[in-house]
Amino acid sequence: MSASSTITPDKLQELMKSNPDLDLIDVRTPAEFQELHVNVARNIPLDQLDPDAVIKDRNGSSEEPVYMICRSGSRGEMACQKFQKAGHSNVVNVAGGTMACEEAGLPVVRGRKVMSLERQVRIAAGSLVVIGTALGAFVHPGFLGIAAFVGAGLVFAGITDTCGMGMMLARMPWNQCSGNSSSCKVK
């Protein structure tokens, strides 16, 4: 699978000025999206992203690219790969994600502060390693398997750029928007 095209936040800002129907999809969790997002973005979490449905129901014309954005670029790249696997090649990742767009001065919408998914993964993985090691040292050596399993998962995540723990945490209730939130534009 070839790498997808990328666009800088500055170039994205130019396009936003000339094309009000630009199709920018934020693939982060609804809670992350609610905290901070580029003002024209709509939220479709990566685990719910259906490339065929997006192409069918998109904002812009079918000739225009679909732009993907996340926090820093990694999940946006994964979203682009999903589109490419589904046979849709006119997809572009925003380099540096929402953080780079905010730094570049693009118009953003701010909401309630939340803990990033990456930080949640570090806390969960670190906690499991500490608990597994403590139980292995004081209860039974078999509990060291917990720490080994988490370590193997982190190595796998680093090699494949796919994090199973992150995908599970993204589905947790605290990473979803409450039903009465008008600022969370979840599709």
Side-chain angles (χ1 to χ4, degrees):
M1 183 65 50
S2 64
S4 65
S5 299
T6 60
I7 188 172
T8 65
D10 292 332
K11 182 67 176 163
L12 178 66
Q13 188 167 27
E14 288 175 28
L15 288 173
M16 287 168 52
K17 289 177 184 174
S18 64
N19 183 2
D21 292 328
L22 180 110
D23 204 359
L24 178 63
I25 299 173
D26 192 319
V27 296
R28 297 174 299 154
T29 66
E32 289 174 298
F33 178 80
Q34 185 177 10
E35 178 184 356
L36 175 73
H37 62 272
V38 175
N39 70 339
V40 300
R42 62 185 171 123
N43 184 227
I44 305 175
L46 184 60
D47 64 336
Q48 298 170 19
L49 187 63
D50 178 355
D52 293 327
V54 169
I55 295 299
K56 182 179 174 237
D57 299 330
R58 60 185 302 198
N59 292 340
S61 84
S62 59
E63 293 83 39
E64 294 292 321
V66 179
Y67 297 91
M68 298 292 145
I69 191 167
C70 62
R71 182 177 188 277
S72 59
S74 180
R75 284 180 275 175
E77 179 63 32
M78 291 168 67
C80 288
Q81 290 173 2
K82 261 186 152 177
F83 271 80
Q84 291 170 342
K85 283 181 184 176
H88 307 291
S89 60
N90 201 5
V91 62
V92 180
N93 188 31
V94 178
T98 302
M99 303 311 290
C101 288
E102 180 186 26
E103 287 177 18
L106 273 73
V108 294
V109 176
R110 293 184 188 283
R112 179 178 59 91
K113 183 86 172 139
V114 298
M115 186 183 301
S116 74
L117 191 59
E118 290 84 359
R119 187 170 169 206
Q120 291 178 49
V121 168
R122 290 192 301 264
I123 290 169
S127 297
L128 287 170
V129 168
V130 168
I131 290 168
T133 303
L135 289 172
F138 300 113
V139 177
H140 187 276
F143 283 109
L144 291 173
I146 295 171
F149 179 74
V150 172
L154 292 171
V155 169
F156 177 80
I159 292 170
T160 64
D161 201 21
T162 302
C163 182
M165 187 181 294
M167 289 187 277
M168 284 190 335
L169 285 170
R171 294 176 182 249
M172 293 294 124
W174 59 84
N175 285 321
Q176 307 304 311
C177 288
S178 60
N180 61 359
S181 174
S182 61
S183 64
C184 191
K185 301 184 283 189
V186 179
K187 179 174 178 175

